[in-house]
Amino acid sequence: METAEFISILDREGRALADAATGAGAAAPVPTCPGWQVGDLLRHTGMVHRWARSFVAEGRTAYHPGEGEPDLDGPALLDWFREGHRLLVDTLSDARPDVACWHFLPAPSPLAFWARRQAHETAVHRVDADSARGRAPEESARSLPAAFAADGIDELLSGFHARDRSRVRTEKPRVLRIRATDLEEDAVWTVRLSLEPPLTERTADGDADCELTGPAARLYLALWNRLPFPAVTGDAELATLWREKSAVI
């Protein structure tokens, strides 16, 4: 996918998140994020938007922490969220393609990284906001393009869980396969598990101990622990391992 496509999705998903939050109310619980209310979701996502924007807007080439979450609620919190989201979208849209700044996963460019990462960050949290106003994640998944969802699976498996921080590990080598059923045949990921960080290949070669299959958007949200896996064949303990250990830290 092109950077402009990610920015367009970020724009749409952020506006949809704000609309869902408005409909649910800041005090509504977020079923997909146990312990959170909508206000927590807005403060977290809005803080991330501002944090991400700062690297691109200011050309920061080293990590720095975010400025923290605001002490806001109600309409003021929603206004703050919408403002930060708009600033992020505009900054990414106006940035030079060769802008140099810090980023934390492999990418064709820093701009491509931040557009992609924030599109996925916002899309998953839009599903969270939808859940707070009573929309099931299965229904929310239908609005996610299959190609975008597959890209999100790739980012999660080949990016986040390729890092030393991943806790998805097994004492004995095991193989987990993820197969999206609504895309071309190459929408398959083979994840080799061991005591080391998972190694993911975009291939269906070889046997797998467990296979997770389903539409790309359903798998995307399931791998981010927003839905049950659509279908599990083989050793279901690997699906349970993912559920218990895959939270990104």
Side-chain angles (χ1 to χ4, degrees):
M1 293 179 62
E2 299 296 326
T3 297
E5 294 178 86
F6 287 119
I7 296 173
S8 178
I9 291 171
L10 166 63
D11 185 14
R12 183 189 72 221
E13 294 293 320
R15 288 185 284 108
L17 192 163
D19 289 345
T22 300
V30 181
T32 51
C33 295
W36 272 23
Q37 296 180 334
V38 168
D40 301 311
L41 181 63
L42 289 170
R43 282 184 283 270
H44 166 77
T45 312
M47 181 272 292
V48 171
H49 284 169
R50 283 168 163 76
W51 175 73
R53 175 186 177 269
S54 70
F55 291 103
V56 179
E58 300 170 27
R60 294 187 173 188
T61 56
Y63 169 81
H64 75 97
E67 296 181 359
E69 299 179 359
D71 185 18
L72 296 172
D73 216 332
L77 176 58
L78 271 162
D79 288 346
W80 175 85
F81 174 85
R82 290 184 191 273
E83 177 188 45
H85 170 250
R86 186 76 259 150
L87 286 169
L88 174 61
V89 170
D90 289 347
T91 295
L92 294 174
S93 298
D94 296 340
R96 301 189 321 274
D98 62 349
V99 64
C101 64
W102 180 85
H103 58 292
F104 61 87
L105 294 177
S109 70
L111 180 61
F113 166 81
W114 284 113
R116 180 196 202 194
R117 175 81 292 276
Q118 291 309 299
H120 288 298
E121 175 86 11
T122 307
V124 171
H125 286 317
R126 188 268 298 171
V127 172
D128 294 331
D130 276 350
S131 78
R133 64 172 178 177
R135 189 181 189 195
E138 292 88 344
E139 182 181 353
S140 294
R142 297 191 190 108
S143 65
L144 295 171
F148 173 72
D151 180 83
I153 294 171
D154 204 66
E155 184 202 41
L156 182 61
L157 298 178
S158 302
F160 281 105
H161 284 286
R163 304 183 302 170
D164 288 340
R165 293 182 180 187
S166 178
R167 297 179 299 128
V168 183
R169 307 191 186 209
T170 56
E171 289 191 10
K172 296 181 180 179
R174 309 297 300 280
V175 177
L176 175 66
R177 181 160 292 142
I178 293 102
R179 186 185 304 270
T181 55
D182 56 344
L183 287 165
E184 297 178 359
E185 292 182 2
D186 66 349
V188 182
W189 295 262
T190 295
V191 186
R192 303 189 186 282
L193 304 175
S194 67
L195 289 173
E196 300 298 319
L199 176 63
T200 297
E201 299 173 294
R202 195 74 178 262
T203 179
D205 293 344
D207 296 330
D209 297 292
C210 176
E211 183 163 313
L212 313 175
T213 59
R218 291 283 303 274
L219 286 172
Y220 172 59
L221 294 179
L223 289 165
W224 277 107
N225 294 317
R226 265 57 180 191
L227 277 175
F229 291 113
V232 179
T233 56
D235 187 354
E237 288 187 2
L238 292 184
T240 300
L241 173 71
W242 185 272
R243 280 270 179 255
E244 294 176 349
K245 300 294 185 180
S246 67
V248 171
I249 57 174

